[in-house]
Amino acid sequence: MRDLMLFGAMLVFFALAVGNTFIAYMLWGWAGLAAVNYYVFGFMQTQPIVQVFAIITLVLIVMGKDDERQPFALNRTSSIYLVYTAQALVCATLAYPDLARNWELAVNLIKTLLYCVLMPMVLTSRYRIHAFVVMLAIATGLHGLLDGLKFIANAGRHVAMGIGKFGDNNHFALVLVMSLPLLIYISRFVSSRLIKLGFMGVTVLTVLAVVATHSRGGLACMVAVALWFIATSKRKMAGLLLVSVSAVLVVAMAPADWTERMNTMRDAGADNSFMQRVSAWKVSSAIALENPVFGGGFHAVQARPVWERFQNAPSLLPTMQGMDFNIARAAHSIYFEVMGDGGFLGLIIFLTVFLNAIFTARTVIREAIALGPEFEWARNLAEMLLLTIIAYLAGGALLSAAYFEMPYIVCMLLEVLKLHLRRERRLTDSNGARKAVA
């Protein structure tokens, strides 16, 4: 039944996409983030939904079927993405042999970067920017909505593992936390009271879904986001109230085994899972030391021959008591993951992506203030997008999630915001000049 419903929805979406480049582009992003294939169990599970909307979008862009489309022009973020694309291609080509997911991950990353590079051509107005933000919130909020409801229905006993696209419960928790700032932004700025209440409800359910993952990293990341939200909010009492209500709900509904698991964060050194992560970091840094420019290839650290070759090699970390080298493991950190996969050059490019996004967010906030109260929405959106990036950088420190598309999309969306404000400033200056001449 689910497959038939999804098939019917896809027919409608297909008809909408072929007639509008912007809709096709949004459906491309929605299909990737919502990953609806994982929620069905029949013939639709293997259908290339993302690829269909990607092809439609690219064909429409090439044919020039969008009257509002901006011409392609390099900007700072897209330039970094193109450099990253070239480096990823070389890394995959020069990778150690027999890496199970080397080209799969490389191609997925390049597809994500291509999607982002096209964004300034398509998101050309405030309406389109907001519609895109709503799409991101709906696509990622879907997962929090479903598992939050299951958590309530099972009186706190439901354990959310997420879908296969995201990985394990820890990766799923990170995705959920990253969606919170977008849900909060929409609930604050949408005009319809009913829609506002709907997004507020999904926000609360997403918080509960993070609790349902039983992820210690997810909890720590959510606390960091909450503190940052309160510290940077102009309405600190409202922010404090929202966080307090969420905390009360967590305490009231969390089962005893969740509390016990969260308490284990007090002694990381005695935690076997943490020391396993440190072992993987040591091996990843050893790979980078031998391959500083292009690394060992995508997920090289997870290949048993590569692991055995570098487990005793010189690295950036000393050998510590409790390390376990018996099993090849994931890098368990976006930073060490990129370091091992792409070398120190790859890590520099990766960090540049997010440092550039942080500087871009500050620029957007400054320019929105200069343009006046009419652009308060841009300032608030930039702050929420920056919060999403902070959630990723903090939560990803203990997870292998370097190639998840959401943070790259958010970084480019900040660039789009900057470009939009600069167009508005030029328009304002031009109108002012004409009035002065008249």
Side-chain angles (χ1 to χ4, degrees):
M1 185 65 179
R2 290 185 188 180
D3 292 83
L4 292 176
M5 292 175 63
L6 179 58
F7 178 71
M10 288 305 108
L11 290 178
V12 175
F13 292 161
F14 180 85
L16 293 172
V18 295
N20 189 293
T21 305
F22 173 58
I23 292 177
Y25 183 78
M26 287 214 302
L27 286 170
W28 179 4
W30 169 82
L33 292 169
V36 289
N37 303 67
Y38 289 89
Y39 290 102
V40 295
F41 306 100
F43 70 97
M44 287 299 293
Q45 192 173 37
T46 56
Q47 299 307 308
I49 297 174
V50 178
Q51 291 86 335
V52 168
F53 292 124
I55 292 171
I56 293 172
T57 303
L58 293 172
V59 169
L60 291 176
I61 288 177
V62 170
M63 294 175 63
K65 292 295 185 179
D66 184 3
D67 294 335
E68 297 183 38
R69 180 173 68 88
Q70 290 285 329
F72 176 78
L74 282 177
N75 53 63
R76 193 168 64 197
T77 304
S78 62
S79 298
I80 297 170
Y81 280 11
L82 291 176
V83 172
Y84 199 8
T85 298
Q87 204 262 352
L89 278 171
V90 178
C91 289
T93 302
L94 301 180
Y96 287 112
D98 301 322
L99 303 186
R101 301 187 62 198
N102 179 53
W103 279 106
E104 175 195 347
L105 293 169
V107 170
N108 286 344
L109 174 62
I110 293 169
K111 288 178 181 177
T112 298
L113 297 176
L114 170 63
Y115 181 81
C116 294
V117 167
L118 295 174
M119 193 183 299
M121 300 174 64
V122 181
L123 303 191
T124 55
S125 65
R126 175 180 175 177
Y127 166 77
R128 288 192 170 191
I129 291 170
H130 269 145
F132 189 78
V133 172
V134 171
M135 179 278 292
L136 292 179
I138 291 175
T140 54
L142 168 69
H143 312 293
L145 169 67
L146 294 176
D147 276 288
L149 290 173
K150 292 176 184 177
F151 186 74
I152 293 174
N154 289 275
R157 293 188 298 273
H158 171 66
V159 178
M161 297 304 296
I163 56 177
K165 172 185 172 64
F166 300 132
D168 63 14
N169 62 314
N170 297 300
H171 295 82
F172 186 48
L174 177 60
V175 173
L176 295 174
V177 175
M178 288 176 62
S179 71
L180 288 173
L182 298 178
L183 293 168
I184 293 171
Y185 172 79
I186 296 172
S187 65
R188 286 168 60 180
F189 280 89
V190 72
S191 57
S192 169
R193 182 175 177 82
L194 182 61
I195 297 176
K196 182 188 293 286
L197 290 174
F199 275 99
M200 290 176 64
V202 174
T203 302
V204 174
L205 288 171
T206 300
V207 171
L208 295 178
V210 174
V211 176
T213 63
H214 285 220
S215 170
R216 294 167 294 183
L219 175 65
C221 184
M222 189 163 60
V223 170
V225 167
L227 293 176
W228 183 277
F229 177 71
I230 294 172
T232 58
S233 176
K234 291 196 300 183
R235 294 181 289 182
K236 288 183 170 51
M237 289 305 299
L240 183 61
L241 178 62
L242 176 62
V243 172
S244 300
V245 170
S246 300
V248 169
L249 282 172
V250 168
V251 173
M253 299 198 66
D257 58 341
W258 180 86
T259 305
E260 292 173 3
R261 180 167 173 78
M262 297 306 111
N263 286 335
T264 62
M265 288 191 292
R266 296 176 181 176
D267 190 2
D271 183 2
N272 186 50
S273 66
F274 178 77
M275 294 310 297
Q276 289 173 354
R277 284 176 164 84
V278 178
S279 304
W281 300 345
K282 185 179 187 300
V283 175
S284 295
S285 63
I287 296 172
L289 284 173
E290 185 164 312
N291 307 274
V293 180
F294 297 114
F298 287 83
H299 283 191
V301 71
Q302 296 186 38
R304 184 70 191 178
V306 177
W307 178 278
E308 291 177 345
R309 175 177 173 178
F310 288 98
Q311 64 183 24
N312 296 315
S315 71
L316 299 180
L317 299 176
T319 301
M320 300 167 60
Q321 184 178 3
M323 283 186 171
D324 181 6
F325 295 104
N326 292 324
I327 301 175
R329 294 183 174 86
H332 288 298
S333 168
I334 55 176
Y335 309 108
F336 285 96
E337 180 181 10
V338 175
M339 184 188 299
D341 294 357
F344 294 113
L345 176 60
L347 179 61
I348 290 171
I349 298 172
F350 179 77
L351 294 176
T352 301
V353 168
F354 296 101
L355 287 174
N356 172 65
I358 292 170
F359 285 123
T360 302
R362 291 172 63 88
T363 300
V364 170
I365 292 169
R366 185 172 60 251
E367 295 200 5
I369 293 173
L371 283 168
E374 183 182 351
F375 293 89
E376 181 71 11
W377 66 271
R379 175 186 176 180
N380 282 272
L381 179 55
E383 291 172 345
M384 291 295 103
L385 294 175
L386 179 59
L387 187 54
T388 298
I389 292 172
I390 290 171
Y392 174 70
L393 295 177
L398 296 175
L399 294 174
S400 298
Y403 311 117
F404 176 50
E405 57 261 55
M406 180 74 165
Y408 298 99
I409 291 173
V410 169
C411 290
M412 184 56 81
L413 186 53
L414 281 166
E415 182 72 39
V416 167
L417 262 180
K418 183 182 75 174
L419 295 173
H420 175 70
L421 292 184
R422 289 184 174 175
R423 285 195 297 269
E424 291 294 329
R425 176 178 284 279
R426 286 195 296 269
L427 182 61
T428 302
D429 292 343
S430 176
N431 291 337
R434 283 197 292 268
K435 289 180 180 177
V437 172

